[in-house]
Amino acid sequence: MAMTPEYTDIALALASALIAGSLIGLERSYHGRPAGFRTHALVSLSSALLMLVAVYQMRWFGGTPLEAVRIDPTRMAQGIMTGIGFLGAGVIFKEGLTVRGLTTAASIWVTAALGILYGVGFYFPATLGTVLTLGILAGFRFLESTMPSQSFSLLTVRFERERILTEPDLRELLTTHGFSIPNLSYRLVNGGREFEYETMIRTTREGDISTLSSDLLARADVLEFDIRPHGD
């Protein structure tokens, strides 16, 4: 089979889409994400293949006059982006009170978009989009690690009914460790023999949870406590 200019364009589009998807997938695989190298490569390649079907659909009709056929390649793009939502939803999962996989789902979505661009031959925006996507995934990770951010945890602490730590004292304890407390809830448990506080605590320092845990562990009046990171 002779390598015509048309076939050269098709090969270039598929190779470009495959390389872009692979690079994004490598970044995800490196960070241990479930949708990694092969998933992103396949998403980008399949998007490009489907768009090539739309771009070259005049080949379907043989000698049919052009005016007898209505072509709308954007419908294929719409179908791809709708369908990719199911794959993106599959990598989002809840781990305790934390939601994980949102970035991977977004990377799958943008990989599909890049595959569409490569498939129709828009190489400049597709290449620029690939570079920007890799920059976001790699560079923004560094920015996130250096900029201050609030972390949330759900705190549950239990006392004997006769040895309850008062609310002002509990608030003072948490404030001393650098936490802010929007509200508290109260509950009697174990037939009313024990009293339980529950609250969402917030801090901007990584070590605050560890020091609070050590302090609660050393207190004789604390029967049980539970500190769970919350993906707020």
Side-chain angles (χ1 to χ4, degrees):
M1 182 187 300
M3 196 66 174
T4 65
E6 182 179 273
Y7 289 158
T8 302
D9 291 341
I10 291 174
L12 179 61
L14 294 179
S16 301
L18 178 60
I19 292 171
S22 299
L23 289 174
I24 296 171
L26 281 173
E27 195 280 338
R28 294 285 84 195
S29 290
Y30 177 76
H31 291 99
R33 298 302 185 260
F37 176 68
R38 291 183 298 171
T39 302
H40 284 77
L42 288 172
V43 165
S44 184
L45 180 61
S46 61
S47 298
L49 283 168
L50 290 172
M51 284 311 298
L52 286 174
V53 170
V55 170
Y56 291 98
Q57 58 186 304
M58 283 307 299
R59 299 281 295 272
W60 306 355
F61 305 107
T64 305
L66 182 62
E67 61 272 11
V69 180
R70 286 196 172 187
I71 299 176
D72 184 8
T74 61
R75 290 188 178 182
M76 182 65 78
Q78 293 169 1
I80 292 170
M81 299 313 291
T82 300
I84 208 67
F86 292 96
L87 182 60
V91 300
I92 301 174
F93 59 95
K94 188 176 181 183
E95 190 177 77
L97 296 174
T98 302
V99 177
R100 297 177 59 85
L102 293 172
T103 301
T104 300
S107 69
I108 290 175
W109 191 57
V110 75
T111 300
L114 292 173
I116 291 171
L117 291 175
Y118 283 115
V120 298
F122 287 172
Y123 294 113
F124 176 73
T127 303
L128 184 59
T130 302
V131 173
L132 291 175
T133 300
L134 291 170
I136 291 170
L137 291 174
F140 282 23
R141 181 183 298 274
F142 172 76
L143 290 176
E144 282 184 335
S145 65
T146 56
M147 63 188 297
S149 61
Q150 292 183 333
S151 62
F152 296 79
S153 297
L154 181 66
L155 170 67
T156 304
V157 58
R158 187 176 297 179
F159 303 89
E160 291 183 1
R161 188 168 183 176
E162 294 78 16
R163 303 177 64 187
I164 299 173
L165 185 68
T166 64
E167 180 179 339
D169 289 339
L170 179 62
R171 287 184 176 273
E172 182 181 355
L173 173 65
L174 295 175
T175 303
T176 301
H177 285 282
F179 293 98
S180 57
I181 315 149
N183 49 56
L184 277 167
S185 63
Y186 323 91
R187 187 169 63 155
L188 284 173
V189 295
N190 291 335
R193 295 187 299 274
E194 297 171 1
F195 184 83
E196 183 180 274
Y197 289 108
E198 186 174 84
T199 181
M200 188 69 69
I201 54 179
R202 181 176 62 236
T203 184
T204 57
R205 299 180 304 192
E206 291 186 4
D208 286 345
I209 292 178
S210 178
T211 55
L212 175 62
S213 175
S214 298
D215 196 346
L216 292 175
L217 192 62
R219 295 183 64 99
D221 55 347
V222 175
L223 294 177
E224 295 179 12
F225 71 90
D226 185 19
I227 304 175
R228 299 188 183 185
H230 193 286
D232 198 302

